C-alpha cells in the first residue's frame, strides 16, 4: 500500500483508530494487570476472552461497568489499522501463526511512531510555528516513512533516540505557540512536570501555560482556559474538564481526553472525539 501525502486535516484523521480495519491488536498484543482499570490479568500475546471472532469486544457498551475502564481510555493513534493493513498486508495473527510474534512486537512500536506523528502534525498545523514549518514537515515525512518500513526494520529502530531528537523541535514549536498568548500569572507559575494532582484549578486562566509532563490526576479544571497551553505527556487521569476550553490546547491527545472526565460544555479540538462515557 502506498502512503499518500496528506493535508494537515487529513493527517489527524489518519492518526485516529479505525478498529474496523484492525485485527484486535490492542486486545491481544498488550498485557494488562488486574486493577481499577482492568477486571483481570492478561499476558501480552494472549487474546482477551472478550474478543469475538470478528475482532470486536463483546462487552464494548459495558466496559466501564464491567471493570475495563482502561480499555475505554486506550488509543492506538491508528497503529492498529496501519500494522494490520500495511505492515502485514491484511494478515491476521489468528489465521497466520507465522506473523504472531512479529505483529505483536511491531504494534506498540508503530503506536509510538504514530503518537510522534500526532504531535508533529499538531505543531506543523499551527500558524505560530511557521518559522519551523519546513523542519516539522520534514520530520513528519521521515517519521511517517518509518511507519511504512518492514517489520524487522521497525523492530531495529531506536525510538528513544528518535523521541529525543523530536522533543527539542516540538519544544521550540511550543514556545512559538505559547508566546502568541500572553500568559496569566497563574499560567506563569506552572512549571513543566508540575505536581498538580487534585489541584483546584477551576476557572483559571491557563492560556499559554507549559503543562508538559504535568501531573493533573483528579485536578479540577472545570471552566479553565487551556488555550495554547502545552500538555504534551500531561497526566489527565480523572481530571475534571467540564466547561474547560481545550480547542487550541497544544499536543492534546485522544488518550488524555479519554482518561479525563468532561461533559457537553467542554470545548474540544476537531481532531479529538468527545468520549461516550462523558456526562451528557
Ligand atoms: S475487554 Fe474488550 S476492549 Fe478490553 S481488551 Fe478485552 S476485548 Fe479488548
Amino acid at each position: 500500500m502506498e502512503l499518500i501525502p496528506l493535508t494537515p486535516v487529513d493527517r489527524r484523521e489518519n492518526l485516529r483508530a479505525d478498529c474496523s480495519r484492525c485485527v484486535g491488536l490492542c486486545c491481544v498484543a498488550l498485557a494488562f494487570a488486574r486493577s481499577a482499570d482492568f477486571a483481570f490479568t492478561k499476558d501480552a500475546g494472549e487474546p482477551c476472552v472478550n474478543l469475538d471472532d470478528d475482532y470486536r469486544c463483546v462487552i464494548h457498551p459495558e466496559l466501564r461497568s464491567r471493570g475495563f475502564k482502561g480499555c475505554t481510555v486506550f488509543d492506538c493513534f491508528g497503529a492498529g489499522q496501519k500494522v494490520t493493513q500495511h505492515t502485514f498486508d491484511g494478515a491476521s495473527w489468528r489465521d497466520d501463526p507465522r506473523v504472531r510474534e512479529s505483529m505483536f512486537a511491531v504494534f506498540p512500536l508503530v503506536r509510538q511512531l504514530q503518537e510522534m506523528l500526532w504531535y508533529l502534525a499538531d505543531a506543523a498545523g499551527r500558524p505560530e510555528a511557521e518559522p519551523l514549518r519546513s523542519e516539522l514537515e520534514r520530520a513528519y515525512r521521515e517519521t511517517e516513512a518509518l511507519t511504512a518500513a518492514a517489520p524487522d526494520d521497525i523492530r531495529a529502530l531506536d525510538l528513544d533516540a528518535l523521541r529525543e531528537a523530536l522533543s527539542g523541535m516540538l519544544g521550540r514549536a511550543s514556545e512559538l505557540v505559547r508566546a502568541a498568548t500572553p500568559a496569566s500569572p497563574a499560567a506563569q507559575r506552572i512549571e513543566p512536570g508540575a505536581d498538580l494532582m487534585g489541584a483546584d484549578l477551576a476557572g483559571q486562566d491557563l492560556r499559554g501555560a507549559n503543562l508538559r509532563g504535568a501531573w493533573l490526576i483528579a485536578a479540577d479544571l472545570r471552566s479553565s482556559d487551556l488555550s495554547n497551553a502545552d500538555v504534551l505527556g500531561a497526566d489527565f487521569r480523572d481530571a475534571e474538564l467540564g466547561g474547560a476550553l481545550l480547542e487550541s490546547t497544544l499536543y492534546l491527545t485522544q488518550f488524555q481526553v479519554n482518561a479525563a472526565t468532561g461533559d457537553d460544555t467542554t470545548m474540544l479540538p476537531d481532531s479529538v472525539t468527545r468520549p461516550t462515557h462523558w456526562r451528557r
Side-chain angles (χ1 to χ4, degrees), residues 21 31 39-40 42 62-63 83 86 89 106-108 128 138 148 156 161 192 197 204 215-216 219 222 234 251 253 257:
R21 297 197 293 134
F40 54 75
K42 182 188 87 57
E62 306 150 23
L63 280 168
V83 169
H86 177 79
D89 203 18
V106 163
F107 170 62
E128 301 90 346
R138 185 170 61 250
M197 286 194 272
Q204 293 279 327
W215 296 84
L216 290 161
R222 279 176 297 172
Y251 305 139
T253 66
V257 170

Side-chain angles (χ1 to χ4, degrees), residues 19 50 56-64 71-72 276:
C19 302
N50 293 320
R56 294 199 177 90
C57 174
V58 294
I59 62 165
H60 185 72
E62 306 150 23
L63 280 168
R64 291 217 153 203
C71 300
T72 68
T276 54

Side-chain angles (χ1 to χ4, degrees), residues 26 30-42 48 63 66-74:
C26 63
L30 307 181
F32 48 71
R34 183 175 175 151
S35 61
D37 287 333
F38 299 103
F40 54 75
T41 297
K42 182 188 87 57
C48 176
L63 280 168
R66 300 275 291 267
F68 290 90
K69 181 180 170 185
C71 300
T72 68
V73 171
F74 183 79

Side-chain angles (χ1 to χ4, degrees), residues 11 26 39 54-55 59 80-81 83 98 101 132 147 151 157 167 170 174 178 184 186 200 238 244 249 259 272:
R11 279 178 176 166
C26 63
D54 295 324
Y55 308 107
I59 62 165
Q81 69 262 24
V83 169
R98 291 170 302 172
E101 191 267 341
L132 295 173
T147 71
L157 293 173
S167 176
L170 294 174
S174 168
R178 288 184 293 109
S184 69
D200 181 2
D238 297 323
T249 303
V272 170

Side-chain angles (χ1 to χ4, degrees), residues 87-126:
T87 317
F88 290 91
D89 203 18
S92 167
W93 53 271
R94 192 174 261 155
D95 304 329
D96 187 352
R98 291 170 302 172
V99 306
R100 279 182 70 99
E101 191 267 341
S102 181
M103 201 171 204
F104 297 160
V106 163
F107 170 62
L109 302 177
V110 173
R111 180 180 182 268
Q112 289 185 56
L113 291 168
Q114 296 282 103
E115 182 178 4
M116 292 178 213
L117 288 176
W118 180 269
Y119 300 136
L120 288 167
D122 192 353
R126 304 277 177 156

